[in-house]
Amino acid sequence: MILPRKSFRLSRRRLLKGLAAGGVLGASSARAAEAPAEAPAGDPAILEPRPWSTSLGPGVEDGSYGVPAPQEAHVVRRTVPWLTADPAASVSFTPLHELDGIITPNGLCFERHHSGIAEVEPDGHRLMIHGLVGRPLIFTMRDLLRFPRESHVCFLECAANTGMEWRGAQLDGVQFTHGMLHCVEYVGVPLRHVLAEAGLRAGASWLLVEGADGAGMSRSLPLAKALEDCLIAFRMNGEALRPEQGYPLRLVVPGWEGNLWIKWLRRIEVGDAPWGQREETSRYTELLPDGRARRHSFEMEVKSVVTSPSPQAPVRHGKGPLVISGLAWSGAGRATRVDVSLDGGRDWRPARFSGPDLRFALRRFYLDAEWDGSEWLIQSRAMDEAGRIQPTRRQLQAARGVNSIYHNNAIQTWRLAPDGSLENVDVE
Amino acid sequence: MWSRGVLLALLLTAGGARAEESPLGLGREATEAEVAAWDIDVRPDGQGLPEGRGTVEEGGLLYDDLCAACHGDFGEGAGRWAALAGGRGTLTHRDPLKTIGSYWPHLSTVFDYTRRAMPFHAPRSLTDDEAYAITAYVLYLNDLVEDEGFELSRANFMDFALPNAGGFIEDDRWSEPHYAPGLEPCMSDCLPGEAKVIGRARAVGVTPDGGGGFE
């Protein structure tokens, strides 16, 4: 039977109405058979056969290393080219807005090098321990694999993270404001076991730790921290360290600034005083308003940030349920609490933690919100196990001025606009 | 905190009768030549300074060849490369210039870092004498020595204190008012009135492209 044009149109309109009212699709088999291509009988993702469901996909990839789906190609580290003079002494940022949970995939961990990536041959790599020790010792990678091992999930934050934001909102994306941060499961040897092999002599109180890169990256580390919880790591998230993360050996200094986590670690000297290296005098010291500068400010302070929504991860779904997701951490050990404000810090409500709660690791929080489409000024505020509360930018500026560069743990504000876009702003 | 017991145990291992024994017997003893080959650090108290010497004049020739392209003819810094001189008296300014002369506390760091990491494209290529000469020249660029014939050596190195030697304090962040013990997080009416946006990253306009956003 052939339906006259007019009556078809009518029935189509009726059908649309039914759909809009939440009605069940008409059971008319005649309609199904005769519906033209544009008829919205339902979601083409369901109604139309998909190529991957009706054919064979590629087989196992022999000998290859798996990579993310091509549609995820935008999930990459990024740089801020104007920040530094040369890419060999520069930084790339973790795309925090694209990640969830607490673990950073190895290939997305931010990088900071001072003489490029040292391409170390592990068979020829040695670790030397000397100075105020019973016997100066040399270890090969094979030697190190015979020490008792430990695994720890730790965040690593560069002391300069958020360093461009001291005077006010500068960079429009959490990748750039907070992306000198990652969190990885490390496996390695507690530094105290290796020190015990050499034995310490009286007066030992500081270590010089040094990398095998062109910069000979070097820092002074208090012996107390070394004995407490530092790790000489050779694995991250199960596999060998990535070259840009110090392959084959890096120091893990839980809760302390990233610059101390020497990559391509090759030498440890035991001494009785700090070494005043360039990275603990010219850099990684905080100039205060009175002209004096803080040094040996190793610990990372209590901090949190909303990773989504954020300028690079806008709200595309309009009003209604909105998941606010973020990270909290503290060099004191654990972030114990996070509150979220939607009105620029006037009123706060507690966020909910989900996932692992490990000392010196990132912690993931969520706030399950209902967006009414109005302007929101979104902030998060962490508290840690030492009882310290993340300060506002104003509080931090009042105490430290604006020329510290390092250790900016101020509360971050994202402005959510009615169109769903977000922006890094300063509020008062 | 770390346990005093652990440290004591480690000290005993070395200082006691069994100094030659390691708990696991792993690794091997380093030779003197091996330690000397890698032990390049110089401490503020002079520990680690090698034998050697070099004059301002010699340092100037080396500097013009090896350093000036990036750090400027007078240490003023070229482009975004670091300045090595100038900035005295600017540490309390809105835009301080932190250099060896204005900010660095120790001369040893100049020698250590230059010999360790510079020139940028050829680290570890300077001899000890060259490192002394360049360090002398950096003092000259900062008006800390005036005689071009001046010779810096291991013998007189410790005579020099940089101007900002006393400018550093130990970490005292925990005494800041916002970390005062016992503070409770405020939950309502924490700030007066409605929030006002007073600064916007987009107005600054220095964010690189990429990474999503609204478009």
Side-chain angles (χ1 to χ4, degrees), chain A residues 324-346:
Chain A
I324 294 177
S325 171
L327 293 167
W329 64 100
S330 169
R334 290 171 56 245
T336 50
R337 163 176 182 169
V338 172
D339 301 306
V340 172
S341 172
L342 305 175
D343 60 3
R346 272 62 192 165

Side-chain angles (χ1 to χ4, degrees), chain A residues 78-323:
Chain A
R78 288 187 178 78
T79 59
V80 179
W82 52 263
L83 257 187
T84 47
D86 191 292
S90 192
V91 56
S92 67
F93 297 84
T94 305
L96 296 177
H97 60 292
E98 295 283 358
L99 305 177
D100 214 330
I102 65 164
I103 297 293
T104 316
N106 287 340
L108 296 176
C109 289
F110 85 93
E111 307 159 81
R112 175 77 172 104
H113 322 304
H114 294 262
S115 284
I117 300 166
E119 296 176 317
V120 174
E121 185 53 60
D123 284 346
H125 190 68
R126 303 286 181 270
L127 177 66
M128 177 187 289
I129 299 196
H130 70 108
L132 290 180
V133 295
R135 304 192 301 154
L137 291 178
I138 305 281
F139 300 102
T140 62
M141 288 303 294
R142 281 184 196 169
D143 295 332
L144 293 171
L145 291 172
R146 298 173 65 191
F147 280 89
R149 247 173 257 174
E150 287 183 11
S151 142
H152 294 280
V153 178
C154 297
F155 76 81
L156 184 166
E157 184 184 18
C158 177
N161 200 24
T162 323
M164 275 86 75
E165 307 287 311
W166 273 100
R167 291 177 187 213
Q170 274 244 33
L171 290 165
D172 212 16
V174 72
Q175 179 165 22
F176 304 114
T177 56
H178 290 75
M180 286 197 263
L181 175 72
H182 53 67
C183 184
V184 158
E185 185 204 1
Y186 295 95
V187 173
V189 178
L191 182 47
R192 64 176 170 275
H193 292 339
V194 180
L195 290 171
E197 276 308 278
L200 297 175
R201 294 217 306 260
S205 56
W206 286 83
L207 305 182
L208 182 83
V209 285
E210 183 184 272
D213 54 331
M217 181 48 59
S218 53
R219 285 293 300 258
S220 305
L221 179 73
L223 179 64
K225 179 67 173 175
L227 297 179
E228 189 180 348
D229 59 6
C230 292
L231 213 58
I232 298 178
F234 31 79
R235 293 191 175 266
M236 58 191 294
N237 292 332
E239 62 184 3
L241 295 172
R242 291 289 169 89
E244 69 271 27
Q245 300 299 339
Y247 179 81
L249 212 57
R250 106 170 292 170
L251 193 63
V252 170
V253 190
W256 285 21
E257 62 189 23
N259 185 254
L260 290 156
W261 298 44
I262 298 294
K263 300 189 282 190
W264 315 291
L265 180 71
R266 78 165 189 183
R267 185 166 74 97
I268 298 173
E269 182 172 350
V270 182
D272 58 4
W275 276 261
Q277 295 291 289
R278 183 245 185 178
E279 306 293 332
E280 56 211 23
T281 53
S282 169
R283 306 294 151 113
Y284 302 98
T285 50
E286 291 93 62
L287 183 57
L288 299 169
D290 65 2
R292 294 179 309 160
R294 278 196 184 117
R295 67 174 176 192
H296 300 149
S297 41
F298 301 123
E299 189 176 310
M300 299 311 296
E301 289 155 74
V302 59
K303 192 165 175 179
S304 70
V305 69
V306 169
T307 52
S308 172
S310 63
Q312 296 161 289
V315 178
R316 297 180 196 278
H317 55 56
K319 299 178 196 180
L322 168 63
V323 175

Side-chain angles (χ1 to χ4, degrees), chain B residues 37-138:
Chain B
W38 277 7
D39 182 6
I40 55 164
D41 49 82
V42 178
R43 261 184 6 186
D45 62 4
Q47 191 193 82
L49 276 173
E51 286 303 332
R53 45 149 299 278
T55 64
V56 169
E57 207 175 342
E58 291 160 350
L61 294 172
L62 290 163
Y63 181 92
D64 287 348
D65 260 11
L66 301 172
C67 322
C70 297
H71 295 295
D73 287 343
F74 307 100
E76 76 281 12
R80 281 167 302 173
W81 311 98
L84 306 184
R88 294 277 287 282
T90 66
L91 295 185
T92 53
H93 291 189
R94 182 179 158 82
D95 289 303
L97 178 60
K98 296 192 280 183
T99 72
I100 291 166
S102 69
Y103 190 65
W104 289 33
H106 314 299
L107 185 61
S108 60
T109 314
V110 181
F111 184 95
D112 176 299
Y113 183 72
T114 301
R115 186 173 65 152
R116 166 188 301 277
M118 289 291 135
F120 190 52
H121 291 115
R124 304 293 314 278
S125 62
L126 298 174
T127 66
D128 293 343
D129 283 346
E130 288 171 334
Y132 275 109
I134 292 171
T135 304
Y137 188 66
V138 169

Side-chain angles (χ1 to χ4, degrees), chain A residues 82 138 167 172 197 210 216 224 267 269 276 285 293-295 299 301 312 348 394 400 419 423 426, chain B residues 2 22 24 28 41 94 103 109 116 169-170 172-173 176 179 186-187 198-200 206-207 211 214:
Chain A
W82 52 263
I138 305 281
R167 291 177 187 213
D172 212 16
E197 276 308 278
E210 183 184 272
R267 185 166 74 97
E269 182 172 350
T285 50
R294 278 196 184 117
R295 67 174 176 192
E299 189 176 310
E301 289 155 74
Q312 296 161 289
W348 297 83
R394 286 290 159 276
R400 305 181 186 177
D419 68 359
E423 185 183 3
D426 266 315
Chain B
W2 60 290
S22 303
L24 294 170
R28 65 162 176 84
D41 49 82
R94 182 179 158 82
Y103 190 65
T109 314
R116 166 188 301 277
I169 56 170
E170 295 300 311
D172 63 349
R173 286 172 292 165
E176 291 176 336
Y179 290 141
C186 171
M187 294 306 282
I198 54 163
R200 307 176 49 196
V206 293
T207 308
F214 205 57

